[in-house]
Structures are given as C-alpha cells and as structure tokens.
Amino acid sequence: MSRGLAPFSRAAAWTSGLAGVKRACVAVLLGAVSVLAFAPVHFWPILFVSFGGLVWLLDGCHEPRAALGDRLKCAGLTGFWFGFGFFLAGLYWVAEAFLIEPWRHGWLIPFVMTVFPAGMALFFAAACVLAMALWRPGPARVFALAIAIGLAEYARGHVLTGFPWNLIGYGLLANGPLMQLAALFGVYALSLVAVLLFAAPAAIWNANGRRSKGTVVLAAILFVLLGLGYVWGDWRLAAAPEGTTGVRLRIVQANVDQADKWRPENSAEIFAEYLDLTRTEGLAEMDLVIWPETALPFLLGDSPDALAAIGEVLPQDTTLLVGVARVVEQRDPNGRLEERDVFNSLLAVGNGGQILDSYDKMHLVPFGEYLPFQDFLEGLGFMQMTGVRGGFSEGMGPRLLDIPGLPPVWPLICYEIIFPDEIADQGTRAGWMLNVTNDAWFGSSAGPYQHFHQAQVRAVEQGLPVVRAANTGISAVIDPWGRVLAEIGLGEKGIIDAKLPKVGPRTTYVALGMNMEILVLILGIFGWMVCRSARIGANLTGSYTHPMNQTGLGTNHQDSEQPSVFAN
C-alpha cells in the first residue's frame, strides 16, 4: 500500500472498529455534516465523507459479528444515529415556527427537536438493516447501501402522507449542469445513484484496511459517469432556448412578518399593502398578478368589499391569483349547520372582483394544518400550528387551472411542490407550475432556501417553468432548465415583473414516470448480483482476512477457483 493512501486505510480500520457511544456520536456527526450538501450551502462533496464513513461503520457491524441478528441490530442502530444527525441538522428550522407564538407552542420545541428527527431517522435505520442483510465484502456492499437507502427515500416520500424533504438526490443536484440529471431520472432515482456514487470511493478500503480492487473499478466507472453527466448537463443548458410567452405577470412579495399577520388590527393594513404593491407602475401591461399563500388574514370569498377593491385595481383582462383560506358550509333544509370545511386555497379573481376559479390544497402539512386524530387531540387541548379549529380539509385532488388568456397551470400550494410524482400527466400538458407559499413561518433559516431549491428541481424534472410567490421570499421565475430568471430575496419587499417562460421539451422522467425509478432500482439490484456472483469462488478473506475465519465463515475453497476483479 502506498504511503499516500495509508491515512485512508487507518481511517477505515478506526471507523469500523468504533463501538458504543463513540460509534453513535460519529454516526450522528456524519449524518449532520451531510446537510452541508443541501441549500443554502450546496457543498455536495461532503457526501463522499458522510456516506463513505457510513460504509465503514457498517463494515464494523459486519466483520466481527457472526450472527446475522447481531449484525442487523448494529446496522439498525448505526443507521438510526446517522439519520438522527441528518434530520436534526437538516430540519432544525422547523423549530422556528414554534417561536411565532412561543406562549402557545414554545414548550414543544424540545420534543420537536428530538421526536421528529428520531421518527424520520427510522427510515435510515430500516435502510441500514436491509443493507446489512445484503452486505458482502467488496463492491457489492456499495450497491446494497444504495438500493436500501434509495428504497427508504421513496418510502419517506409516501408513508404517512410522506415528507420527501432533502432527499439524498438533491445533494447531487447542487449546480445547473448536474441539476439537468433530474430531467432524465427524477430525484427519487437519483437518490439511489447519489448514494452509489458517494459511498464508492471510501468503500475501496475495507474494515481491515485492505483495498478492494473491485471497488476501485466501480468508483472509477462512477466518476467517469459523473463527469459525462456534468458535460451533458452543461451542453443541455448551453443549448436551452431562452424564449418567453406573451403572458406578462407580476409577483407581489409583501414581506409580512408571520407574528404580525393574524392580529385583527393589522388586517386592513396588510390588504392595503398588497393593493399598493399591485398598482405599482406598469400594472396596465400585466395579464396576471400573483399574491402568495394565505396572503390575506381574512376570508376573501366572504368579503365583497375586498373583492370589489381588488376589481377596481385590476386592469381589464388582468387576473389575480391569490392564496387565501376558504370556508364551505353544508346546511340542512332548516338552515342548521351540518358540516364546515376550511380549505387552504388559491383563488382566481377577475378584474370585476368576481371569483373565476379555485384550487384547494390537497396535501396538507401534518401538525401544521391538521392533527392526526383531530377531535381527540383537540379535546386534550392540542392545536395545530395554524390554530384553525377542526383543522384544514383536504382538497379534491390535483388538477389544472384553466384561466382565460393563460396556459393551463399546475397549482401547488406550499410544500406540495416537493412531491415529484403528484404532478401527474392528465392528458393536457400544463404550460407552467405555480407555487404559492408562506415560508415566513421559518424566518431566515435554511428552510426557505431548501424549499426553493426543490422547486428548481421540479422545473427541470417536468420541463415546465415554475412561478413562485412567497410571503417573505424567495419569490422567483424559474425556466424549465432550472435557471432563475428573476428573484426577490428572502426577507425583502417588492415585485417581479416578468414574462412567463415557454414550456420546455417533455423530459425523459415525465415520459417514463415511475418506470424510471423501477429501472434504476433494477439496475442497482443487477449490479449487486453481478458483484456478489463475481465473488463465487473468490477468496472472501481478500477483504476480511482474519475476522472472517475467526467467526467460522471461512473461505469457500470451491469458489476460489473463479477469481474476479470484483473479488477483492
């Protein structure tokens, strides 16, 4: 072994040999530093360190333990602590929302900062258990980890309504050229690819410090593919047109502090602020004006005076899209209230002040917009963050809004835009996506930046422009290649006047949908099988010499007749 590579050998042996509290602390640290790969830092090379270290920790679960149950237990705990660090560092900003009204919710912060990341860490724990069940010395273990985490990330996006925030694939999509890979694979499939790429270099060194020749080959192939992906992405960006439609739009960012927004005495002032920003010079040229999620702290649909005021401001043939709460009541023939639903909605308002259409948010935020077992928990005195008695109700489902004079639009309220496979093809292709959001809950933390980056990736995946209106930012116009054409920064007040970008080409991801995710998973399983079968007849002690023999899992001499480059 060359002297220059000796530190990696020692690091692999030291990391895999950790036990107890030291092992847990290192796992938490590796998970936490992984977050540097995501917005706003985007230092994606850190994932080579974190996932490389995770491979070495799992090597330490496999090598010295003969019993499968002991290996799985060790792997599960390792994955849990890695996941805990990952979600604690990546989602710390959730606590910001509990400081908006600290007298009501502040006491929950210690629980949010422990129970929430611990619950999310169970996905990584399960992934590491599955990876350990598939673990084999050499490159097969890299495929095992990638397959397992890829499946866990998909599950995280779907189980219990799903929360696919900071999927590992986003770490690979930090810059414009690499972001173009989302048009081919989608972020779920790229999560598997990313783990494969980031884990392979460190996996060259086994737990005993020896190098795995097969993993050297695998890492080299992956680096070549990464380079080719970057070159292709750079070419795709360079060849992308910059055309716009004739639709002229104005985005209004009033930068209203969440702590002040719902005080009744501020209601009229906030409404006046939006009207003043809307009527800024140039309004007569606009086809569309957009206000963010829950822009107004009152029920616009039940406020004819407010609708009339909007109608007076809007020029002829100009439409306002505004996020507001909407109440629908069902009454019996005698007028008695039978049912009352509150929706987080997007309303289209015409220049006469009439409501043209509406969309009700379908994917609600647990504990933010509703509580599981709502009536029971409300009876105990608990209330979701928005404070709406009974919680918000789910909308009827995803659909296009067809507004006269505008291309069909996919409306996505708040974090609905982080769910890639809920933007479905319904026969008529959308001309753009609209994301209205209120990230004011999370102040100037990393949360709004992470949310914005995920909106960029949706644009590339779908080949559709994204128009984003946020209460305190980041509001922007994003083209189908993820390029930000106009932007208002976080914590700023202002407007964006821009033309709606043209729709991009239908992407491979859109054409194949979930089939692409299945294809990448199948290729991962095939890679694992090839690496594993290549070990048939190989001397297993090429990777784990003494400990393997000590546990009674010694060399299969019949297999040793078929050596392979993937064996060591």
Side-chain angles (χ1 to χ4, degrees):
M1 182 180 300
S2 66
R3 183 173 301 175
L5 298 179
F8 292 100
S9 176
R10 290 194 295 268
W14 180 84
T15 306
S16 62
L18 291 171
V21 174
K22 290 183 179 180
R23 166 176 282 267
C25 289
V26 169
V28 169
L29 178 62
L30 290 173
V33 299
S34 300
V35 176
L36 295 174
F38 304 99
V41 180
H42 289 303
F43 183 62
W44 59 272
I46 194 65
L47 294 178
F48 287 111
V49 176
S50 59
F51 281 98
L54 182 59
V55 168
W56 291 341
L57 287 173
L58 293 176
D59 278 342
C61 293
H62 183 275
E63 177 188 356
R65 293 170 173 82
L68 179 61
D70 291 340
R71 290 175 173 177
L72 298 182
K73 179 181 178 181
C74 174
L77 288 172
T78 299
F80 173 82
W81 289 118
F82 183 93
F84 184 82
F86 180 81
F87 291 110
L88 179 63
L91 300 176
Y92 78 91
W93 47 266
V94 172
E96 294 261 358
F98 292 81
L99 295 173
I100 300 297
E101 295 179 329
W103 58 91
R104 288 179 55 194
H105 302 118
W107 65 276
L108 288 169
I109 291 178
F111 300 96
V112 172
M113 291 293 93
T114 53
V115 176
F116 185 36
M120 299 301 295
L122 294 176
F123 289 100
F124 274 43
C128 288
V129 168
L130 175 58
M132 186 53 54
L134 302 174
W135 209 257
R136 297 292 185 277
R141 72 201 205 278
V142 183
F143 282 99
L145 185 62
I147 292 167
I149 291 185
L151 288 171
E153 291 290 75
Y154 186 83
R156 179 158 72 91
H158 294 81
V159 172
L160 298 177
T161 79
F163 189 63
W165 195 280
N166 280 357
L167 296 170
I168 299 302
Y170 287 116
L172 187 59
L173 307 177
N175 56 56
L178 289 178
M179 195 182 294
Q180 304 311 304
L181 295 174
L184 296 178
F185 300 102
V187 72
Y188 282 124
L190 283 172
S191 293
L192 188 156
V193 173
V195 175
L196 192 66
L197 170 68
F198 294 126
I204 291 171
W205 288 271
N206 296 307
N208 59 10
R210 297 183 61 185
R211 283 197 297 165
S212 166
K213 298 176 182 177
T215 315
V216 173
V217 175
L218 175 63
I221 293 172
L222 291 171
F223 270 103
V224 170
L225 293 176
L226 176 64
L228 291 175
Y230 186 94
V231 170
W232 174 81
D234 191 54
W235 168 84
R236 187 174 191 264
L237 276 177
E242 297 182 358
T244 59
T245 66
V247 176
R248 293 159 298 183
L249 56 87
R250 169 168 290 179
I251 303 170
V252 177
Q253 181 170 305
N255 195 33
V256 179
D257 190 285
Q258 188 67 24
D260 299 329
K261 183 173 183 176
W262 295 100
R263 294 177 180 173
E265 65 271 19
N266 295 334
S267 175
E269 182 181 349
I270 291 171
F271 183 48
E273 182 70 27
Y274 274 102
L275 290 178
D276 288 344
L277 287 169
T278 297
R279 61 166 63 96
T280 302
E281 183 180 356
L283 177 62
E285 302 174 359
M286 299 299 141
D287 301 297
L288 181 66
V289 177
I290 304 167
W291 295 357
E293 179 191 16
T294 57
L296 303 178
F298 56 85
L299 298 176
L300 180 61
D302 295 340
S303 306
D305 291 344
L307 286 170
I310 290 172
E312 292 176 2
V313 169
L314 294 179
Q316 185 70 27
D317 299 325
T318 300
T319 302
L320 170 68
L321 289 174
V322 51
V324 292
R326 187 172 76 93
V327 174
V328 176
E329 294 181 344
Q330 301 290 336
R331 296 183 180 271
D332 65 15
N334 296 320
R336 287 190 296 266
L337 182 65
E338 291 183 330
E339 185 177 353
R340 184 176 187 269
D341 292 310
V342 182
F343 296 99
N344 186 350
S345 302
L346 180 72
L347 301 184
V349 182
N351 66 291
Q354 74 278 22
I355 297 176
L356 306 175
D357 203 351
S358 65
Y359 164 76
D360 300 322
K361 185 178 181 181
M362 56 163 287
H363 209 132
L364 303 176
V365 181
F367 303 100
E369 293 171 311
Y370 76 97
L371 294 174
F373 312 107
Q374 184 83 37
D375 294 339
F376 173 73
L377 290 178
E378 279 191 5
L380 296 178
F382 291 97
M383 184 68 70
Q384 69 275 357
M385 295 299 301
T386 52
V388 175
R389 178 68 61 180
F392 282 93
S393 300
E394 293 181 1
M396 295 299 292
R399 69 182 185 90
L400 295 177
L401 282 181
D402 198 355
I403 301 169
L406 300 175
V409 56
W410 265 114
L412 299 160
I413 298 177
C414 189
Y415 90 146
E416 285 184 321
I417 201 166
I418 74 171
F419 295 90
D421 45 10
E422 290 187 2
I423 306 172
D425 188 350
Q426 296 193 349
T428 302
R429 190 183 183 202
W432 56 299
M433 293 182 284
L434 172 63
N435 180 216
V436 294
T437 186
N438 181 22
D439 290 348
W441 286 100
F442 310 112
S444 58
S445 67
Y449 294 99
Q450 294 170 2
H451 197 188
F452 181 72
H453 181 242
Q454 291 172 82
Q456 280 185 277
V457 173
R458 286 297 84 71
V460 179
E461 277 181 346
Q462 298 293 324
L464 296 175
V466 170
V467 176
R468 192 169 193 266
N471 182 16
T472 57
I474 306 167
S475 299
V477 177
I478 305 168
D479 79 359
W481 291 268
R483 296 176 296 197
V484 179
L485 305 182
E487 176 182 353
I488 306 176
L490 188 62
E492 299 176 6
K493 178 190 295 186
I495 62 171
I496 292 175
D497 289 345
K499 289 185 177 180
L500 179 68
K502 288 183 178 180
V503 64
R506 194 163 183 254
T507 64
T508 303
Y509 171 74
V510 170
L512 296 181
M514 189 175 179
N515 291 327
M516 175 56 77
E517 294 156 5
I518 294 173
L519 175 61
V520 170
L521 176 62
I522 290 173
L523 290 175
I525 294 172
F526 177 75
W528 177 81
M529 293 177 66
V530 168
C531 292
R532 182 179 184 275
S533 63
R535 296 196 60 81
I536 296 176
N539 187 342
L540 291 179
T541 60
S543 293
Y544 296 152
T545 307
H546 303 297
M548 290 290 288
N549 289 332
Q550 290 172 354
T551 58
L553 300 177
T555 304
N556 185 323
H557 296 287
Q558 179 181 357
D559 290 345
S560 63
E561 298 172 3
Q562 302 177 21
S564 165
V565 68
F566 289 103
N568 296 306

